[in-house]
């Protein structure tokens, strides 16, 4: 099935009309851009999570001349999520387990090694990792590269020499905690959190001293107010988020102690408000009859003070989640005109299928509309911030509910969106999958899967299983979309050259016109793309675009015949979700770097 571009009702002409022009002229990235314009020092380019570059040498007019400049093999054939960093004349790469770090010299042809760091990393952690041994990348600050190891350590590496500065254990694999997320450095605090929602962990976020690695604070996402760091400054917008010890009392008899709500996704930050934003994972177990109540603060978006860890507001986007709709997806910081008034917002494309535009100072939902085919809820009540759940899609023990859309993979999973202030649009890689869900009763044993469901998946309506789209977060409407035969599991990159980039599971790296969605260019790489494209200016003055090719993550686990069928975590029969994907790709581990060599 070939990819096809489709336009929303108001799209191609509307994107060039007065409404779009007004939106673009007013839209802004909501935080200052860090570093030089040609660098990429953070996991998402900047604190806002925009994944937007002001570089424009590669444009909609010339991107069709882009070719491979050089490649680098990581030597690891597992899921390559995340993106490289570029600071000055050096590129920094972190591989999936065993989490080797490389520094590449961009001043020389072929980018040879400056240094390589191979950490001690317990093999036992591989058995605890739910959805492949991925790593979503590093962060750079003060001549130091910070990243997480699968076995629960955070490390700090001298960016010039590759020498280890410190190593701190923050997570415990024996209790199901592993580390896959990319850290964020704010005010000398290295912010990190664990995976393990399927293992019955108790989720948290912690701040480590960037100089010493000493833990400064740890805030739990579940439990009494003292553990969650809720105090007098906690002022949530909605009444359902107010009360005493809701992180414990909305769970029955202490079940919050192994209730999930892990922090394995993306972090963003607003310096003006001094708030860091992140989402929490599904509650444990998936079977909701064992945990009646809202189960706060699972499947929630949280805003914390990065200096103290204090919780300032919370929004539970899927109360009492019984579908595995983690809320860990990125919350992009932007300033947008909403109903004619400029608002400081977060834009969040949740796994539950709703795209939220949220006041980032208060947690008020301003816009919430479905961005993928979905039927588990009919909408979001803006007066309460809660979804209007369709009763016939609620799961339970011994009950089989068919055709729930989206599936447990969500309307979007970890693959991050991008935002362009030039167009005022958000560029979103999405899934179009549905599931049947049979609830079963699990037993909690520390360090083992704590799930309670079987949930085979099928393609969603329309005959496509993924779409790359442009979204107007001021109105909650799709502007254009490109249908893909498989879920779009790569991140997005937007540039001032009026080009957006993304990759596909069947191994294509693609460019599209940021305003119209017209396909502009594609290149077949060596493996399916689940990483996030980035761009930088090299020491030679050339703009480059880079992306990992290396299928993996949950999507990689679904390639028929490539993995064992008895994985303890999987709630599907392997090879049934994407039975034809293995015909088009296989495992890999290569960084591809592209440029236009014949002039600008």
């Amino acid at each position: 099935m070939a990819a096809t571009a489709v336009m929303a009702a108001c799209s191609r002409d509307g994107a060039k009309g007065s409404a779009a022009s007004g939106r673009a002229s007013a839209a802004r990235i909501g935080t200052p851009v860090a570093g030089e314009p040609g660098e990429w020092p953070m996991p998402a380019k900047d604190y806002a999570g925009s994944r937007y570059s002001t570089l424009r040498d590669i444009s909609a007019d010339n991107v069709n001349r882009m070719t491979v400049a050089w490649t680098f093999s990581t030597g690891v054939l597992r899921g390559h999520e995340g993106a490289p960093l570029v600071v000055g004349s050096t590129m920094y790469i972190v591989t999936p387990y065993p989490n080797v770090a490389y520094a590449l010299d961009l001043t020389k042809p072929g980018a040879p090694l400056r240094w390589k760091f191979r950490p001690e990393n317990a093999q036992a952690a591989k058995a605890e990792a739910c959805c492949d041994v991925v790593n979503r990348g590093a962060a750079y600050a003060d001549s130091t590269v910070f990243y997480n190891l699968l076995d629960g350590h955070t490390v700090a590496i001298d960016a010039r020499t590759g020498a280890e500065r410190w190593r701190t254990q923050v997570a415990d694999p024996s209790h199901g905690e592993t580390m896959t997320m990319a850290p964020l450095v704010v005010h000398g605090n290295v912010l990190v959190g664990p995976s393990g929602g399927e293992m019955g962990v108790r989720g948290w976020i912690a701040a480590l001293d960037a100089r010493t690695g000493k833990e400064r604070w740890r805030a739990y996402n579940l439990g009494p107010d003292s553990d969650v760091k809720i105090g007098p400054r906690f002022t949530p917008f909605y009444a359902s988020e107010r009360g005493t010890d809701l992180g414990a009392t909305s769970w029955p008899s202490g079940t919050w102690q192994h209730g999930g709500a892990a922090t394995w996704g993306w972090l963003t930050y607003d310096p003006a408000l001094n708030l860091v934003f992140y989402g929490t994972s599904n509650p444990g177990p998936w079977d909701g009859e064992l945990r009646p109540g809202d189960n706060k603060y699972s499947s929630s978006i949280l805003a914390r003070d990065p200096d103290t860890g204090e919780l300032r507001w919370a929004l539970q986007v899927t109360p009492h989640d019984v579908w595995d709709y983690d809320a860990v997806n990125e919350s992009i910081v932007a300033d947008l005109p909403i109903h004619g008034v400029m608002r400081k917002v977060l834009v969040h494309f949740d796994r539950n299928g709703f795209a939220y535009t949220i006041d980032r100072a208060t947690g008020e939902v301003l816009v919430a509309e479905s961005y993928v085919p979905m039927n588990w809820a009919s909408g979001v009540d803006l007066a309460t911030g809660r979804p209007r759940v369709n009763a016939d899609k609620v799961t339970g023990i011994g009950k089989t509910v068919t055709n729930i859309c989206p599936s447990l993979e969500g309307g979007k999973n970890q693959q991050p969106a991008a935002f362009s202030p030039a167009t005022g649009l958000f560029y979103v890689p999405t899934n179009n999958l549905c599931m049947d869900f049979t609830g079963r009763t699990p037993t909690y044993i520390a360090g083992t899967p704590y799930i309670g469901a079987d949930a085979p998946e099928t393609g969603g309506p329309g005959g496509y299983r993924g779409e790359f789209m442009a979204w107007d977060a001021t109105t909650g409407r799709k502007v254009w979309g490109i249908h893909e035969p498989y879920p779009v599991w790569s991140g997005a990159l937007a540039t001032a050259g009026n080009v957006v980039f993304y990759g596909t599971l069947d191994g294509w790296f693609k460019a599209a016109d940021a305003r119209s969605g017209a396909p502009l260019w594609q290149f077949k790489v060596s493996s399916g793309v689940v990483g996030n494209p980035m761009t930088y200016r090299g020491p030679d003055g050339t703009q480059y675009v880079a992306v990992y090719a290396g299928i993996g993550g949950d999507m990689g686990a679904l390639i028929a015949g490539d993995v064992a069928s008895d994985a303890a975590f999987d709630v599907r029969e392997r090879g049934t979700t994407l039975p034809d994907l293995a015909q088009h790709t296989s495992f890999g581990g290569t960084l591809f770097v592209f440029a236009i060599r014949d002039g600008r």
Side-chain angles (χ1 to χ4, degrees), residues 69-70 105-112 597:
W70 54 275
D105 185 350
L106 299 177
T107 67
K108 298 177 181 178
R597 291 300 201 182

Side-chain angles (χ1 to χ4, degrees), residues 284-339:
W286 293 4
D287 172 22
E289 292 185 29
L290 296 182
R291 46 175 176 81
D294 276 359
N295 311 135
K296 298 186 184 300
Y297 291 93
S298 66
S299 300
S300 298
I301 301 169
L302 304 182
R304 291 191 185 274
D305 184 318
D307 300 311
T308 65
E310 293 172 275
L311 191 63
R312 298 294 303 278
W313 59 256
L315 172 67
Q316 191 173 41
V317 289
T318 311
H320 189 64
D321 175 10
V322 293
W323 305 274
D324 187 33
Y325 290 156
D326 301 47
V328 298
N329 292 351
E330 70 288 346
S331 293
I332 300 174
V333 179
D335 298 341
L336 300 177
I338 307 296
H339 307 307

Side-chain angles (χ1 to χ4, degrees), residues 253-297:
S253 60
T255 54
W256 53 268
Q257 296 182 59
H258 43 79
T263 309
W264 60 266
W266 305 101
L267 311 178
T268 53
Y269 173 61
D270 181 348
L273 295 174
N274 195 32
L275 291 178
V276 63
F277 310 101
Y278 69 98
T280 64
S281 81
N282 59 283
W286 293 4
D287 172 22
E289 292 185 29
L290 296 182
R291 46 175 176 81
D294 276 359
N295 311 135
K296 298 186 184 300
Y297 291 93

Side-chain angles (χ1 to χ4, degrees), residues 324-520:
D324 187 33
Y325 290 156
D326 301 47
V328 298
N329 292 351
E330 70 288 346
S331 293
I332 300 174
V333 179
D335 298 341
L336 300 177
I338 307 296
H339 307 307
V341 177
M342 283 299 296
R343 300 291 295 263
K344 296 181 180 299
V345 303
L346 299 177
V347 176
H348 174 88
F349 298 90
D350 199 75
R351 287 241 311 242
N352 69 14
F354 288 110
Y356 293 84
T357 305
I358 302 163
D359 185 305
R360 66 178 181 268
T362 66
E364 177 189 6
V365 179
L366 306 175
V367 180
E369 298 290 343
S370 59
Y371 65 99
V372 292
M374 56 103 74
N375 59 23
W376 74 275
S378 61
V380 173
D381 183 348
L382 298 187
T384 64
R386 297 169 74 92
R388 294 187 289 267
V389 176
N390 292 329
D392 62 346
K393 299 302 180 183
V394 175
T395 67
I397 297 174
K399 175 182 176 183
T400 297
V401 182
T402 61
N403 192 40
I404 303 171
C405 307
S407 78
L408 58 93
E409 300 294 358
K412 188 177 80 63
N413 202 282
Q414 63 81 34
Q415 61 272 43
F419 166 59
S420 169
T423 63
L425 297 174
F426 294 77
Y427 301 95
V428 194
T430 73
N431 313 318
N432 181 24
L433 298 172
C434 301
M435 65 180 172
D436 297 340
F437 194 109
T438 301
R440 53 184 174 83
T441 303
T443 299
Y444 175 72
I445 303 173
T448 65
Y450 187 51
I451 298 176
D454 294 308
E457 296 170 299
T458 57
Y464 61 96
R465 287 172 286 187
E467 182 176 24
F468 184 75
M469 69 175 62
W471 183 264
D472 182 349
T474 67
T475 60
R477 294 290 182 268
K478 181 173 72 173
V479 176
W480 55 257
I482 301 172
H483 287 171
E484 294 287 350
Y486 302 105
V488 184
W489 210 261
S490 87
L493 167 66
T495 73
N498 194 39
V499 184
V500 289
F501 295 90
Y502 70 100
T504 68
L505 285 178
D506 51 349
W508 290 97
F509 186 47
K510 299 187 177 186
D513 187 291
R515 296 188 184 276
S516 70
L520 300 174

Side-chain angles (χ1 to χ4, degrees), residues 116-208:
K116 173 182 177 180
F117 174 75
R118 185 182 180 99
E120 293 293 327
N121 199 346
Q123 290 193 23
K126 296 169 63 177
E128 301 296 324
C130 158
C131 310
D132 202 2
V133 292
V134 300
N135 185 286
R136 297 186 180 89
Y140 177 97
D142 298 326
S143 300
T144 308
V145 175
F146 305 92
Y147 70 99
N148 293 314
L149 307 183
L150 190 69
D151 72 354
H153 290 84
T154 302
V155 295
I157 309 303
D158 188 303
R160 293 161 293 194
T161 67
E164 181 181 295
R165 288 184 168 173
W166 53 256
R167 171 190 177 98
T168 302
Q169 183 166 6
V170 288
D172 184 355
S174 70
H175 285 84
E177 294 178 330
T178 52
M179 301 276 280
T180 61
M181 58 92 77
L184 192 69
V185 183
V186 177
H187 297 169
N189 295 308
V190 184
L191 303 176
V192 297
S195 303
E198 275 65 55
M199 303 292 283
V201 304
R202 182 189 178 199
W204 48 265
I205 184 172
L208 308 179

